[in-house]
Amino acid sequence: MAQTKTVKELADYLGGVVLGDGAVVISGLGALETAGPDTLTFLANPKYAAKVAETSAGAVLMAPGSERYGRTVIEVSNPYLGFAKLLTLFYTSPHKPMGVLPAAIVSETATIGEGASIYPGACIGKNVVIGARTVIYSGAVLYDGVVIGEECTIHANAVVRERCRLGNRCIIQPGAVIGSDGFGYAPDGSGYYRIPQVGIVVLEDDVEIGANTCIDRAAIEVTRICRGTKLDNLVQIAHNCQIGENCMIVSQVGISGSAKIGNHVTLAGQVGVAGHLTIGDNVLVGAQSGVPSSLPANAAYSGTPTMPHKEWLKSAMVVPRLPEMKKAVSALEKRVAELEARLK
């Protein structure tokens, strides 16, 4: 980072309002607890509001109407989003085009877009198409016939297998595998016959794939991740799944084959989804839930098997009391048996 901005300049950039000294110079961003006088911080969760009084930050991003505690403030409707935009402003810059660097292995039949960068040790197969300003880091492998859009980033040791397609601005983190064979076997009486997986994976624009995540190619046709969806590290997407737009799929989620996930769905950590079911739009599934059947849209679910979240909360409150309840039931059973004996 080699730039500084005044609080007023940052407020103008975010479309926010300055309360306090707009001339304060900001040279970096930091946390409420550790920010210094030339640093900007943010308050997104009101339960930490008291820390604003204690911070040494030069300015604080806050929602309108929040208690300032005498601090210089930039008011924005979404401080968390505003802070993310300032992180981008201060700490990121366009990748300098490098071209094909020495020790990169690139097929003569590959098409490399203007301003793309291929780092040493990357391997680009036959008839691959790489869009403009895309970056392929060392150790990444693109099998034959892969198509990568513009301004994508394929990090080290990621693999995109044959004929799979990525849209524009996709990010693939290290070790991810796009287009691995789906888990398909037909029993033949004594063992299992391997079913060829002849489909592909399509990632639409602005999809991001976390480190060591695996997305299986379709047995036939397409496994599709739609526009804007983000997958965390260590996620497994099985063959022929269809994941909608702007979904958030958190670490260690596993989605079985041919499941259909709607738009704006959030699957929290370690959710397991059975195959051939449908999850509607705007669904939230809580962490460590098991989804054995389809879920209607516009609701929150938790538990194994999943149930409406409020019902699960009520059930979860009962669980710690089960030992006590068991003792009470046993005592009641004993008393009933004694009463029945007296009546005989």
Side-chain angles (χ1 to χ4, degrees):
M1 182 193 67
Q3 63 173 315
T4 60
K5 300 282 185 183
T6 67
V7 168
K8 178 64 166 58
E9 289 173 329
L10 296 178
D12 291 344
Y13 178 77
L14 296 175
V17 175
V18 176
L19 302 178
D21 186 359
V24 172
V25 175
I26 300 297
S27 60
L29 308 178
L32 277 164
E33 299 86 351
T34 58
D38 63 345
T39 306
L40 180 141
T41 188
F42 77 106
L43 175 70
N45 190 332
K47 84 176 182 179
Y48 301 118
K51 292 186 177 182
V52 174
E54 303 168 1
T55 187
S56 299
V60 184
L61 276 177
M62 303 176 72
S66 301
E67 173 59 54
R68 289 173 53 199
Y69 295 98
R71 306 298 181 189
T72 292
V73 164
I74 300 174
E75 287 190 338
V76 291
S77 59
N78 187 338
Y80 189 58
L81 176 61
F83 195 73
K85 290 181 177 180
L86 293 184
L87 283 171
T88 303
L89 175 67
F90 274 92
Y91 296 101
T92 67
S93 59
H95 190 278
K96 181 181 178 181
M98 307 287 286
V100 178
L101 294 169
I105 302 171
V106 179
S107 169
E108 294 179 355
T109 61
T111 301
I112 311 298
E114 182 178 358
S117 301
I118 315 295
Y119 276 73
C123 184
I124 312 301
K126 298 176 182 176
N127 302 312
V128 168
V129 177
I130 296 175
R133 299 174 299 283
T134 282
V135 181
I136 313 293
Y137 281 101
S138 299
V141 178
L142 308 184
Y143 281 40
D144 295 349
V146 164
V147 176
I148 308 290
E150 298 182 354
E151 300 178 7
C152 292
T153 302
I154 313 297
H155 282 286
N157 300 319
V159 176
V160 184
R161 281 195 46 184
E162 62 273 17
R163 298 179 287 108
C164 292
R165 305 200 303 269
L166 278 62
N168 300 320
R169 299 174 301 280
C170 291
I171 298 174
I172 312 299
Q173 295 293 343
V177 180
I178 312 301
S180 46
D181 284 347
F183 193 67
Y185 299 89
D188 62 8
S190 60
Y192 295 91
Y193 183 86
R194 185 177 184 280
I195 301 171
Q197 305 291 294
V198 299
I200 62 171
V201 171
V202 172
L203 308 185
E204 296 184 358
D205 294 347
D206 301 300
V207 167
E208 300 188 21
I209 306 299
N212 295 320
T213 282
C214 296
I215 304 175
D216 289 349
R217 67 196 308 106
I220 54 175
E221 300 180 350
V222 175
T223 300
R224 183 178 298 273
I225 314 295
C226 291
R227 179 182 60 84
T229 284
K230 317 300 183 188
L231 275 61
D232 197 359
N233 303 335
L234 298 169
V235 170
Q236 161 65 20
I237 308 294
H239 54 187
N240 291 91
C241 285
Q242 307 292 309
I243 312 296
E245 297 182 357
N246 295 305
C247 294
M248 297 293 286
I249 310 238
V250 185
S251 182
Q252 298 183 31
V253 165
I255 303 179
S256 300
S258 299
K260 294 183 179 179
I261 312 298
N263 301 324
H264 301 280
V265 170
T266 297
L267 302 180
Q270 297 185 337
V271 166
V273 179
H276 299 273
L277 56 73
T278 298
I279 295 178
D281 295 345
N282 307 309
V283 163
L284 168 64
V285 181
Q288 295 189 325
S289 296
V291 185
S293 57
S294 294
L295 298 177
N298 305 311
Y301 302 90
S302 292
T304 302
T306 43
M307 62 186 76
H309 183 66
K310 290 184 178 179
E311 292 182 18
W312 176 80
L313 287 174
K314 293 177 183 177
S315 299
M317 290 175 65
V318 172
V319 171
R321 297 174 54 201
L322 288 177
E324 176 188 345
M325 293 168 66
K326 182 179 183 298
K327 289 181 180 179
V329 170
S330 296
L332 287 171
E333 288 176 338
K334 182 178 180 181
R335 290 184 63 186
V336 169
E338 290 172 350
L339 289 171
E340 289 177 341
R342 291 177 186 175
L343 292 173
K344 288 181 180 179

